[in-house]
Amino acid sequence: MADFDTVIHGGTLVTAGETFKADIGIRGAAIAAICDRIVGGEHRIDAGGKLVLPGGIEGHCHIAQESSSGVMTSDDYYSGSVSAAFGGNSCFIPFAAQHRGQAISEVIATYDSRAIPNAVIDYSYHLIISDPSPSVLGELPGVFERGITSFKVFMTYDLMNIGDGGMLDILTLAKTHGALTMVHAENNEMVKWMNRRFAAAGLTEPKYHALSRPELAEEEAINRAISLAKLVDTPLFIVHVSTRGGAEIVRREKLAGTRLFAETCPQYLALTRADLDRSGMEGAKYVCSPPLRDRDTQEALWQHIRTGTFESVSSDHAPYRADATGKFSNGVDVPYAKIANGMPGIAMRLPYLFSEGVAKGRITLGDFVRLSSANAARVFGLDRKGSVMPGFDADIAIWNPEERRKVTLADQHDNMDYTPFEGMEFTGWPELVMNRGRIVVEKGALKAVRGQGQFVARKPTDTGTMPGYRAVEFDVAAAYGHEVAP
């Protein structure tokens, strides 16, 4: 048998469909062999009694990104990727945000300058489009050719909302080039109307943020976004679903064959809007959009996780410190509408999901692999990641399923001054994370060097056997001899 650079032995391998005892032989950056017993290896890792899983793929995080109001997230590509790695991830896909008036080439150059020298794990980008002008649309095919095959649009925030017409333009271009459109779905006018009502009544404390963004605002926007995508018949990904009604719309449309994907996030499972009612301005730490909901919604979302409504549980890591650089960039005693939106969570996404999902019997180990990495690899075109198989990148996480931890800020390894999971007790923890055959984290120590992560060019989204939707009006137009653009 040929020798290997690294052999992982004695562990229980977990894929999206199987769990079995086996050893792994790694040669260079890839998995070269899996069999009952592998001898030799320049470096041997004893995984006895542990679970050997694909490294997590974090598909939704905000790293070294300015908000539309100019507030920079606290994590750069070094601290953000280190935090992700300590949380069991070997790859992440942050957003590269275009703001009004920016050329796409400028956006990509900016994020390359932030990522290339700093990331310790592999990365790609989702491109955020806030200004779909003709010149911007003309640049996008070059972005796809580079392997950036997904982008995000907003239906809320005045400086980000591109309107229904802009969405249709983006969706049409995405279909032409095999790209995936992600959408933040909240009804902008509903939210603005509620904000005006609350401001007039003097209801401006952080706790009113959750009430200002009604469940109906998310549900209406999800339904509208799906309708726009169906008209064009192109894939759509609904990010951070926070409501029972929104999840039910996604479930219904998937059963109907719509080319649709969706996610929810740990904060919607672990926290409620009561957390915004903490004393003083402590509640500001829990301001995020869509907002936290209630216990009944948490149970409904867990049911949708169990039954396959969501492809992933992503962190939506949006780290704004509870100081003048972040949450309170507009001052401390300000109305909730002037508090920076977002919470950290990239390091706790997988420990939370393992503890509350696997350890408590809500989901299986196979479900955990699908929700943490395998589905993200498939949906976002990472064709060499998301599974422990020969030929795939040696992106591996070894988990101790019995380890119990009480969460502290020190566990996060990010550039934040709080964690919303502080004091929670989790069962199950990643002990070793490997990216392309190199150890990144091992038993609480960082082994990687700044800048060793590589940009990953991604393939188009795999929609499998989803039949999609054909608007009858297109067929009628074809019947009258009119050519309809794809």
Side-chain angles (χ1 to χ4, degrees), residues 107-128:
V107 174
I108 299 301
T110 295
Y111 281 87
D112 278 346
S113 72
R114 295 170 179 175
I116 291 171
N118 292 308
V120 303
I121 60 175
D122 286 356
Y123 63 94
S124 186
Y125 310 123
H126 305 297
L127 185 64
I128 290 177

Side-chain angles (χ1 to χ4, degrees), residues 39-112:
V39 299
E42 184 176 337
H43 178 54
R44 292 182 66 82
I45 298 172
D46 184 0
K50 311 292 173 55
L51 301 173
V52 182
L53 312 176
I57 299 171
E58 173 57 82
H60 186 161
C61 54
H62 303 272
I63 306 294
Q65 179 192 326
E66 298 95 341
S67 70
S68 58
S69 58
V71 181
M72 176 67 83
T73 57
S74 67
D75 279 321
D76 61 15
Y77 270 79
Y78 179 70
S79 63
S81 63
V82 168
S83 185
F86 273 95
N89 298 285
S90 56
C91 180
F92 66 166
I93 314 176
F95 293 98
Q98 180 225 21
H99 296 295
R100 300 283 167 90
Q102 280 189 304
I104 298 302
S105 57
E106 176 190 350
V107 174
I108 299 301
T110 295
Y111 281 87
D112 278 346

Side-chain angles (χ1 to χ4, degrees), residues 45-248:
I45 298 172
D46 184 0
K50 311 292 173 55
L51 301 173
V52 182
L53 312 176
I57 299 171
E58 173 57 82
H60 186 161
C61 54
H62 303 272
I63 306 294
Q65 179 192 326
E66 298 95 341
S67 70
S68 58
S69 58
V71 181
M72 176 67 83
T73 57
S74 67
D75 279 321
D76 61 15
Y77 270 79
Y78 179 70
S79 63
S81 63
V82 168
S83 185
F86 273 95
N89 298 285
S90 56
C91 180
F92 66 166
I93 314 176
F95 293 98
Q98 180 225 21
H99 296 295
R100 300 283 167 90
Q102 280 189 304
I104 298 302
S105 57
E106 176 190 350
V107 174
I108 299 301
T110 295
Y111 281 87
D112 278 346
S113 72
R114 295 170 179 175
I116 291 171
N118 292 308
V120 303
I121 60 175
D122 286 356
Y123 63 94
S124 186
Y125 310 123
H126 305 297
L127 185 64
I128 290 177
I129 303 293
S130 65
D131 186 9
S133 65
S135 62
V136 166
L137 296 177
E139 286 190 87
L140 291 182
V143 175
F144 305 147
E145 289 177 9
R146 182 181 165 176
I148 300 172
T149 55
S150 55
F151 43 77
K152 181 181 178 183
V153 295
F154 286 78
M155 301 175 77
T156 189
Y157 307 126
D158 284 345
L159 294 176
M160 302 298 290
N161 180 14
I162 64 172
D164 292 357
M167 279 191 66
L168 286 169
D169 288 340
I170 290 289
L171 289 163
T172 301
L173 191 68
K175 180 175 182 177
T176 301
H177 294 278
L180 176 65
T181 305
M182 307 167 75
V183 61
H184 178 136
E186 289 183 286
N187 184 300
N188 196 45
E189 292 304 319
M190 282 189 185
V191 171
K192 290 168 65 176
W193 186 80
M194 292 292 284
N195 284 340
R196 289 194 296 269
R197 288 187 72 231
F198 285 2
L203 307 177
T204 61
E205 294 93 333
K207 65 182 178 181
Y208 294 108
H209 167 79
L211 302 180
S212 75
R213 307 182 86 93
E215 294 185 18
L216 281 172
E218 177 179 280
E219 293 161 15
E220 186 282 331
I222 286 176
N223 188 69
R224 179 158 41 100
I226 293 171
S227 297
L228 295 170
K230 285 169 69 174
L231 179 64
V232 179
D233 189 23
T234 194
L236 185 71
F237 192 110
I238 309 292
V239 299
H240 48 49
V241 176
S242 71
T243 60
R244 178 201 302 263
E248 288 174 353

